[in-house]
C-alpha cells in the first residue's frame, strides 16, 4: 500500500482529481472555476504566485515543486512556530483524538447503520483533518494502518467494511459517510492536505476491502464530495479568508476653509462562505440562521 504513494501521489497520477481538490466551491460558478487561496505568506519567497490571496494552482505544487506543500510534521520548526503564533495552529495527539471521539460517540454506538452514517460531523479549524481521519500521527508523520485509525470517518468506514459485502451497497454507504463529515480551515495548504487525506482514506479502505485500486471515475466522484465538504473559511466571520477589505475614502467636497475633508475608512464585507446541503442538493450560506 505505501509503495503506491511513494511512487506516485494523487497530485502527479491524477491531475483531474487534483483540480477538483483545489476548487473553491463558494466562488466557483458554472462559467468559471476558482481555486482555494494560500491565505498565508509562508511561501511568498517562491514568487508572486504564492502570495496570500493568490489561488493555489496545480502547476505550483507538482513536478519539481511537488514538495512545496508538506504536512506540519515535516515543516521546519521556524514555520511551525510562525503558524502557531499567527493562527494558533497546533495539532492534537492521536490518543487524545481517540478519547475525545470515544466520548462524543458513546450515545451512537447502538444506532443502526443508516442512522449512524447520517450523523453529521464538523471539524472546526480542521488543519489536516485528523479528527475526521487519522491517516498519520500528527506529531511524527508516521503512517497509521487502516484498522488502527480512530477518526470519525475512519469509524464509519470500519462499520461499513464489516457490515456490507456487496460493492454497490458499500459504495453507496461510503458516499453517504463522506457527505456527512465537514471541516473548514483558513490555510490553503493545510486545507489541500485535509482534502487529500480524505481521498487517500477512500483509496486505502477500498483496497483493504476489495484488494484492488479504485478507478479514476470513482476517485473523481469522492473528490467532488470532499471539495464541497472540506472548505476554506475564516471561522470568526464565516467568509473567505482575506476577502474583507478596509478601504480609505476621501470626500470630494471641500471644507469651508478650503481644506480637504479628513479621510475615513470603510469595511467592504468579505465573501460569505457557502456549504453543500446534500439533503437538498444545493449550496447554502454557512452562517444562515446564525445570530437570527
Amino acid at each position: 500500500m505505501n509503495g503506491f504513494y511513494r511512487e506516485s501521489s494523487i497530485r502527479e497520477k491524477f491531475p483531474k482529481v487534483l483540480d477538483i481538490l483545489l476548487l473553491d466551491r463558494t466562488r466557483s460558478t458554472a462559467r468559471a472555476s476558482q481555486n482555494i487561496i494560500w491565505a498565508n505568506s509562508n511561501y511568498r519567497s517562491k514568487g508572486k504566485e504564492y502570495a496570500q490571496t493568490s489561488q493555489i494552482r496545480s502547476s505550483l505544487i507538482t513536478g519539481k515543486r511537488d514538495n512545496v506543500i508538506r504536512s506540519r510534521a515535516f515543516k521546519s520548526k521556524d514555520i511551525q512556530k510562525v503558524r502557531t503564533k499567527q493562527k494558533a495552529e497546533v495539532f492534537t495527539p492521536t490518543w487524545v483524538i481517540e478519547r475525545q471521539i470515544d466520548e462524543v460517540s458513546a450515545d451512537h454506538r447502538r444506532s443502526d447503520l443508516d442512522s449512524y452514517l447520517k450523523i453529521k460531523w464538523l471539524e472546526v479549524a480542521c488543519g489536516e483533518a485528523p479528527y475526521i481521519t487519522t491517516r498519520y500521527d500528527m506529531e511524527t508523520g508516521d503512517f497509521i494502518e487502516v484498522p488502527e485509525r480512530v477518526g470519525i470517518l475512519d469509524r464509519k468506514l470500519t462499520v461499513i467494511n464489516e457490515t456490507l459485502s456487496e460493492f454497490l451497497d458499500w459504495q453507496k454507504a461510503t458516499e453517504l459517510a463522506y457527505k456527512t463529515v465537514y471541516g473548514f480551515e483558513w490555510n490553503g495548504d493545510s486545507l489541500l492536505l485535509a482534502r487529500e487525506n480524505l481521498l487517500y482514506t477512500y483509496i486505502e479502505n477500498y483496497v483493504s476491502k476489495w484488494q484492488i485500486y479504485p478507478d479514476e471515475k470513482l476517485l473523481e466522484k469522492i473528490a467532488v464530495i470532499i471539495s464541497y465538504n472540506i472548505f476554506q473559511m475564516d471561522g470568526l466571520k464565516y467568509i473567505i479568508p482575506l476577502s474583507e477589505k478596509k478601504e480609505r475614502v476621501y470626500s470630494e467636497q471641500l471644507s469651508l476653509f478650503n481644506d480637504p475633508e479628513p479621510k475615513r475608512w470603510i469595511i467592504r464585507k468579505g465573501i460569505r462562505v457557502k456549504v453543500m446541503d446534500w439533503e437538498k442538493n444545493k449550496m447554502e450560506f454557512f452562517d444562515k440562521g446564525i445570530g437570527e
Side-chain angles (χ1 to χ4, degrees):
M1 171 61 72
N2 290 344
F4 176 79
Y5 302 112
R6 284 197 299 268
E7 294 165 7
S8 179
S9 69
I10 287 172
R11 299 178 198 174
E12 299 293 345
K13 192 175 181 66
F14 302 110
K16 290 183 180 179
V17 174
L18 175 59
D19 286 341
I20 295 171
L21 293 179
L22 287 172
L23 287 173
D24 180 337
R25 293 295 184 177
T26 292
R27 295 185 299 125
S28 292
T29 66
R31 293 184 177 181
S33 296
Q34 299 288 323
N35 285 3
I36 58 177
I37 62 173
W38 292 98
N40 62 60
S41 58
N42 299 157
Y43 307 91
R44 185 63 181 85
S45 62
K46 298 181 182 299
K48 62 181 181 180
E49 300 92 346
Y50 295 87
Q52 291 189 82
T53 55
S54 295
Q55 297 180 47
I56 303 179
R57 304 291 185 185
S58 59
S59 60
L60 302 177
I61 57 173
T62 55
K64 294 181 179 180
R65 300 174 175 180
D66 63 350
N67 284 325
V68 167
I69 294 181
R70 309 178 72 191
S71 171
R72 177 181 170 86
F74 299 109
K75 287 182 170 71
S76 70
K77 296 299 181 183
D78 289 340
I79 290 295
Q80 289 184 20
K81 289 178 181 178
V82 168
R83 292 168 72 102
T84 298
K85 183 177 181 180
Q86 291 181 346
K87 292 298 174 186
E89 182 183 88
V90 294
F91 287 108
T92 310
T94 302
W95 69 268
V96 174
I97 293 173
E98 181 176 16
R99 293 184 64 175
Q100 290 178 329
I101 297 181
D102 280 346
E103 188 67 27
V104 299
S105 300
D107 294 337
H108 305 297
R109 288 173 183 167
R110 296 183 180 180
S111 300
D112 61 85
L113 178 61
D114 189 60
S115 298
Y116 180 57
L117 295 182
K118 287 181 178 178
I119 296 170
K120 291 185 173 66
W121 177 275
L122 171 67
E123 184 174 355
V124 301
C126 68
E128 297 166 28
Y131 279 86
I132 297 176
T133 177
T134 53
R135 287 193 64 245
Y136 46 79
D137 186 280
M138 296 308 303
E139 294 179 294
T140 65
D142 292 341
F143 184 78
I144 299 175
E145 297 294 341
V146 170
E148 300 172 6
R149 298 177 188 176
V150 297
I152 191 66
L153 177 61
D154 300 322
R155 295 170 189 237
K156 290 188 176 188
L157 293 176
T158 295
V159 174
I160 292 171
N161 290 336
E162 293 174 349
T163 306
L164 302 177
S165 57
E166 296 294 329
F167 173 73
L168 292 180
D169 293 336
W170 183 92
Q171 180 65 27
K172 182 179 179 180
T174 297
E175 290 177 20
L176 175 58
Y178 271 81
K179 287 179 178 179
T180 57
V181 291
Y182 295 82
F184 67 80
E185 169 60 27
W186 174 289
N187 291 300
D189 53 351
S190 293
L191 180 67
L192 177 60
L193 288 169
R195 289 177 170 185
E196 288 179 330
N197 280 335
L198 266 69
L199 188 57
Y200 280 130
T201 290
Y202 171 77
I203 296 172
E204 290 153 356
N205 276 270
Y206 191 104
V207 173
S208 177
K209 178 69 174 179
W210 306 109
Q211 302 302 304
I212 57 173
Y213 286 105
D215 62 35
E216 188 168 359
K217 291 298 181 183
L218 285 173
L219 296 185
E220 290 177 6
K221 195 170 188 179
I222 296 298
V224 166
I225 298 172
I226 294 170
S227 68
Y228 279 106
N229 282 31
I230 310 299
F231 51 95
Q232 191 163 34
M233 187 173 77
D234 176 338
L236 297 178
K237 299 178 180 179
Y238 314 124
I239 61 174
I240 298 294
L242 306 174
S243 62
E244 183 178 271
K245 305 298 182 184
K246 186 177 182 181
E247 297 180 357
R248 189 164 52 187
V249 178
Y250 295 93
S251 173
E252 295 181 357
Q253 183 177 357
L254 295 178
S255 70
L256 181 63
F257 301 102
N258 208 31
D259 293 327
E261 287 289 310
K263 62 187 178 184
R264 61 189 179 90
W265 294 90
I266 61 172
I267 301 296
R268 301 289 186 190
K269 292 184 178 180
I271 302 170
R272 292 170 68 195
V273 168
K274 292 182 178 181
V275 65
M276 175 61 80
D277 182 333
W278 292 103
E279 294 177 359
K280 298 178 181 177
N281 201 34
K282 63 179 291 189
M283 297 285 282
E284 302 273 10
F285 286 114
F286 180 86
D287 62 353
K288 181 180 179 180
I290 295 178
E292 294 181 356

